Amino acid sequence: MEKAWIYHNSYEEYYRNPFGAVTCDREITLRIAVKCNSKIENILLALKKSKDNTETNLQMNFEENKDNYTIYKVTFKTSINPGLLWYYFIIQVNGDKLFYGNNAKQKGGEGQILNTLPPAYQITVYKKNQTPSWYKEAVFYQIFVDRFHNSCGEGKFLSLKDKSLLHSSWNDSPMYFKNPDGSIKRWNFFGGNLQGIIDKLSYLHDLGINAIYLNPIFEASSNHKYDTGDYKKIDPMFGDEETFRDLCKKANELGINIILDGVFSHTGSDSIYFNKEGSYSEIGAYQSQDSPYYKWFKFSNHPHEYESWWGIGTLPNVHELEPSYVDFIIENDDSVIKHWLKCGAKGWRLDVADEQPDEFIKKIRNAMKEYDPESMLMGEVWEDASNKVSYSELREYFWGDELDSVMNYPFRKTLLEYVLGQKDAENTYIDFMSLFENYPKDIFYSTLNLIGSHDVPRILTLLGDAGTEQNLSDYDKEHYRLNGDQFNLAKKRLKLLTLIQFTFPGMPCIYYGDEVGMEGFSDPYNRGTYPWGKEDYELLTWYKKVIALRKNNKIFINGDWEPVFFNKEVFGYIRKDGEKYAYCIFNRNVWEGSKVKINLKQDGNYINLLNTDEIFNNNNKQIEVLLAPLEGKIISNL
């Protein structure tokens, strides 16, 4: 494709050096090319700093004539403080004033020429911080505790809750029992518990798991536990602190770390701290303004009018920076953060990280790293976390003082759109390049690459073309299952998708049961019980294979990454570690195969790592590969 007469491409190191995010106090060189027959009067680089919102114009100077273009260049240093830099170019040419900036998608790469101020390119500037080494090598498994395994046996429970419904059969479907206003009338429970996880550690170890992310486990009224009642107490239906310590100890003996879910932007209304339902002996904030917890909450008219999470009255929001709350959660010797690390947890996942102040997250990180430098802090963020704006504030997640990682929902979204035919291979390439450009490299290699979670429909249901659930009744959603053809299609797509997931930079995460074919629409149907004894062993065998592929080839953990696309259907990338190369290529077309040619960067013989009997003829550093419908191949030199 011929270049525009003015050209800059942030993906190309010639035009932006170094590529992507950079550390503080680092030199950056930017170039722009203009057709030689244009009369250039002046070119300026407009540079804006997010930290203080200042904007300056830097003079760009002639460097050379190259390939019918005149090249202009400017070099500058980033600040000693982290933040975002935004830039575009001002070109005075042929008597006109033009602008060159980011493209309309604002994804980086080749830009656009405009007569008005353009979207700016982003440069993330960060303080160097090393993500814990164990974390980058982890394969995660997310467990919704009530639904994973009941150590007591079917229909038996460690403890009982008032006003709850207990399932006598593990095979029942999850459902909600609601009041007319949509609030939950009765919570239902199946009896999964921490001892149940201990009992299945050998299964997880055999699968290849070395990190478990638990949905909340602290005392709460609900089955999901995002309405914390007591941060210092394991919910009695799950066990007790001794059981948790035992879980961490036995998991650690198998090389498995435990990550807890920290819900710190709100508590439950039925909690020690708020105590709206009067369930606790302590005086809660709802009961009295003299409560030691009163300052934690945001009352507009005590006691009935208070701020709550998304207007849900059972989830009152807290003042995260209230000193007594900070002390309780983070800073005292037996704070919530420190207490559970001392019990054996290896880190925290912050629920709704974008609803917690940066200062609060920084304090959590400091407390964690002081206790255990190898502990990890991950945040729930659904968008590009490098430029996330929340409550009109640009968030500082990746600037060096906050998160080690984020849940990579953009990864999930892009892959789903690609595999389902909603986005072609070129746009898939652009989406991933945008994250690669914006995220510090250490973060990009440390994101939690999920394709399922408790907040989204089951991946198999989506991949089986189940259709929209909006027009279905609760009964239909509860009982919907893919038919035979849909299920087979979904499995083929899932194999392709997971092959990408386990060869991509970052940590793959399996939502419990996805590896054995669980189905279900949105909450609560995506939170069914693990089908012990009814697993799809074809899928389970595949998961073990791709996990082993990743763990046995460090190139997929630490290797360089370069995305490519061959046509609308075939996306891929190159992984490189020293002289070792792996060409990962994927055909998402359901009906048609695709023949592609790969230009090799290293001579030698090549095989398909998924089928070592498949050897490729190297013809002048080029090989031809035939991909069947919905097939991926991992081609590596010997």
Side-chain angles (χ1 to χ4, degrees):
M1 184 184 297
E2 187 178 347
K3 293 179 182 178
W5 68 279
I6 302 176
Y7 183 80
H8 172 82
N9 190 326
S10 63
Y11 295 169
E12 297 180 26
E13 200 160 27
Y14 177 79
Y15 289 95
R16 176 162 150 184
N17 189 358
F19 165 82
V22 297
T23 53
C24 298
D25 199 31
R26 176 70 184 270
E27 214 170 63
I28 298 176
T29 295
L30 297 177
R31 291 182 174 89
I32 190 168
V34 184
K35 277 284 189 182
C36 288
N37 57 2
S38 305
K39 184 180 178 182
I40 303 298
E41 295 155 18
N42 197 22
I43 300 182
L44 299 173
L45 175 75
L47 194 63
K48 184 176 181 179
K49 299 178 182 178
S50 64
K51 194 72 173 177
D52 54 15
N53 214 31
T54 58
E55 185 168 339
T56 55
N57 290 337
L58 302 180
Q59 183 68 51
M60 299 197 70
N61 298 309
F62 168 81
E63 183 180 27
E64 62 176 336
N65 289 318
K66 181 180 180 180
D67 301 330
N68 295 319
Y69 282 85
T70 303
I71 308 299
Y72 292 81
K73 161 182 145 177
V74 65
T75 298
F76 61 92
K77 252 192 175 184
T78 60
S79 169
I80 59 172
N81 299 311
L84 296 187
L85 288 177
W86 303 95
Y87 72 90
Y88 60 89
F89 303 93
I90 304 169
I91 304 104
Q92 292 175 303
V93 56
N94 298 330
D96 294 323
K97 184 177 183 180
L98 299 175
F99 301 91
Y100 191 99
N102 206 341
N103 50 65
K105 294 179 181 178
Q106 298 187 47
K107 298 280 188 178
E110 184 176 353
Q112 60 180 331
I113 306 164
L114 292 173
N115 293 312
T116 57
L117 289 178
Y121 285 99
Q122 174 184 323
I123 302 176
T124 305
V125 181
Y126 64 99
K127 295 196 296 187
K128 184 65 176 175
N129 243 325
Q130 194 69 29
T131 301
S133 56
W134 68 266
Y135 180 60
K136 293 178 183 177
E137 299 185 8
V139 175
F140 269 78
Y141 194 87
Q142 181 189 348
I143 296 178
F144 193 91
V145 180
D146 182 61
R147 311 293 163 78
F148 184 61
H149 181 57
N150 184 351
S151 66
C152 301
E154 190 171 42
K156 298 178 181 179
F157 299 83
L158 284 179
S159 179
L160 301 178
K161 290 186 182 294
D162 293 339
K163 300 178 181 178
S164 62
L165 295 171
L166 309 176
H167 288 267
S168 61
S169 172
W170 186 255
N171 298 320
D172 285 352
S173 300
M175 61 182 66
Y176 282 134
F177 299 88
K178 296 183 177 181
N179 293 307
D181 65 358
S183 61
I184 303 300
K185 185 174 185 178
R186 295 285 187 273
W187 291 104
N188 63 326
F189 300 89
F190 286 82
N193 52 49
L194 296 182
Q195 183 60 49
I197 300 173
I198 294 173
D199 293 346
K200 295 298 183 181
L201 283 175
S202 59
Y203 163 75
L204 297 174
H205 181 255
D206 183 55
L207 180 59
I209 301 303
N210 45 21
I212 298 172
Y213 150 43
L214 297 175
N215 283 106
I217 59 173
F218 307 129
E219 184 173 71
S221 298
S222 70
N223 52 38
H224 57 65
K225 310 302 175 194
Y226 285 93
D227 53 332
T228 312
D230 186 344
Y231 288 107
K232 294 287 187 73
K233 182 180 179 183
I234 302 293
D235 192 284
M237 293 192 79
F238 291 169
D240 56 22
E241 186 172 307
E242 183 180 351
T243 313
F244 178 73
R245 288 177 180 268
D246 194 36
L247 168 62
C248 293
K249 178 177 179 293
K250 290 179 176 174
N252 193 251
E253 289 170 355
L254 294 173
I256 299 173
N257 287 313
I258 305 295
I259 304 300
L260 293 176
D261 209 335
V263 187
F264 303 133
S265 71
H266 56 269
T267 71
S269 61
D270 188 11
S271 64
I272 291 177
Y273 323 107
F274 202 76
N275 210 9
K276 183 177 181 179
E277 285 75 18
S279 302
Y280 295 87
S281 58
E282 289 195 45
I283 302 300
Y286 184 85
Q287 296 163 306
S288 172
Q289 296 183 39
D290 294 326
S291 167
Y293 310 113
Y294 175 75
K295 290 182 179 179
W296 290 14
F297 299 95
K298 303 177 181 181
F299 291 98
S300 56
N301 185 16
H302 189 269
H304 302 299
E305 297 177 14
Y306 53 89
E307 184 181 302
S308 58
W309 187 76
W310 286 39
I312 301 171
T314 55
L315 303 174
N317 279 341
V318 300
H319 283 290
E320 290 94 342
L321 295 178
E322 158 57 36
S324 61
Y325 186 72
V326 171
D327 192 52
F328 176 76
I329 296 292
I330 305 171
E331 293 186 341
N332 73 41
D333 289 340
D334 193 42
S335 69
V336 173
I337 293 293
K338 296 174 186 175
H339 179 88
W340 296 108
L341 290 179
K342 292 174 184 177
C343 287
K346 196 63 177 177
W348 290 88
R349 175 259 191 192
L350 293 183
D351 182 56
V352 293
D354 55 358
E355 299 191 24
Q356 298 169 50
D358 285 306
E359 185 179 346
F360 185 73
I361 297 175
K362 290 174 185 176
K363 289 177 182 291
I364 291 177
R365 179 188 178 87
N366 287 338
M368 289 175 59
K369 300 299 182 180
E370 282 179 10
Y371 177 76
D372 179 4
E374 284 291 294
S375 63
M376 61 79 57
L377 183 62
M378 172 173 57
E380 179 194 14
V381 184
W382 286 64
E383 304 85 8
D384 180 333
S386 72
N387 52 37
K388 169 73 176 180
V389 175
S390 178
Y391 298 95
S392 301
E393 293 288 334
L394 177 64
R395 305 311 304 266
E396 302 178 14
Y397 302 132
F398 296 163
W399 295 9
D401 295 320
E402 294 192 20
L403 300 177
D404 292 309
S405 175
V406 288
M407 300 181 77
N408 201 351
Y409 277 103
F411 170 86
R412 174 186 178 273
K413 180 176 183 293
T414 294
L415 277 193
L416 267 175
E417 290 173 342
Y418 167 65
V419 172
L420 292 175
Q422 299 162 3
K423 177 174 289 180
D424 65 19
E426 181 179 2
N427 282 293
T428 300
Y429 162 89
I430 290 169
D431 276 2
F432 284 139
M433 276 300 294
S434 179
L435 288 182
F436 191 41
E437 181 175 58
N438 291 345
Y439 284 27
K441 185 176 180 181
D442 208 43
I443 294 284
F444 187 76
Y445 277 67
S446 303
T447 54
L448 191 79
N449 293 340
L450 71 159
I451 56 174
S453 82
H454 63 293
D455 284 325
V456 292
R458 284 280 174 176
I459 188 64
L460 209 62
T461 299
L462 295 176
L463 295 177
D465 294 340
T468 180
E469 61 181 297
Q470 276 68 32
N471 298 325
L472 297 178
S473 67
D474 286 344
Y475 178 88
D476 289 337
K477 283 187 280 189
E478 177 189 350
H479 295 281
Y480 184 92
R481 294 295 181 271
L482 301 173
N483 63 36
D485 289 341
Q486 288 176 310
F487 192 77
N488 288 332
L489 171 62
K491 284 207 297 186
K492 289 178 182 178
R493 282 175 165 167
L494 183 56
K495 288 180 179 181
L496 186 70
L497 197 156
T498 49
L499 185 57
I500 299 174
Q501 184 187 24
F502 282 87
T503 56
F504 202 91
M507 284 72 55
C509 182
I510 302 167
Y511 182 47
Y512 79 100
D514 279 351
E515 79 276 19
V516 292
M518 285 185 67
E519 301 179 44
F521 283 117
S522 300
D523 174 26
Y525 311 109
N526 59 352
R527 302 175 183 182
T529 53
Y530 186 103
W532 298 108
K534 300 178 181 179
E535 299 91 337
D536 184 299
Y537 283 101
E538 179 191 344
L539 264 183
L540 183 58
T541 300
W542 171 259
Y543 267 87
K544 288 181 179 181
K545 183 174 184 175
V546 292
I547 291 172
L549 175 71
R550 177 181 179 82
K551 297 179 82 169
N552 294 335
N553 295 275
K554 297 299 184 183
I555 192 172
F556 301 124
I557 297 171
N558 301 313
D560 293 340
W561 179 81
E562 179 187 339
V564 292
F565 61 94
F566 297 90
N567 52 51
K568 289 184 178 297
E569 306 295 323
V570 179
F571 170 71
Y573 40 83
I574 305 165
R575 303 302 306 267
K576 175 183 179 294
D577 185 12
E579 298 300 311
K580 185 75 171 179
Y581 285 84
Y583 298 84
C584 310
I585 55 175
F586 315 96
N587 176 25
R588 61 94 182 269
N589 194 292
V590 175
W591 310 111
E592 297 180 2
S594 187
K595 184 182 292 185
V596 298
K597 290 183 178 180
I598 299 176
N599 294 315
L600 302 172
K601 295 179 181 289
Q602 180 80 8
D603 220 334
N605 298 316
Y606 283 76
I607 62 168
N608 179 3
L609 292 181
L610 297 172
N611 176 12
T612 54
D613 290 334
E614 186 176 14
I615 301 172
F616 298 90
N617 294 320
N618 181 349
N619 184 12
N620 294 322
K621 295 182 73 171
Q622 188 178 79
I623 59 175
E624 191 170 75
V625 181
L626 179 62
L627 293 167
L630 290 176
E631 184 181 24
K633 291 185 178 181
I634 310 299
I635 300 163
S636 182
N637 54 336
L638 295 172

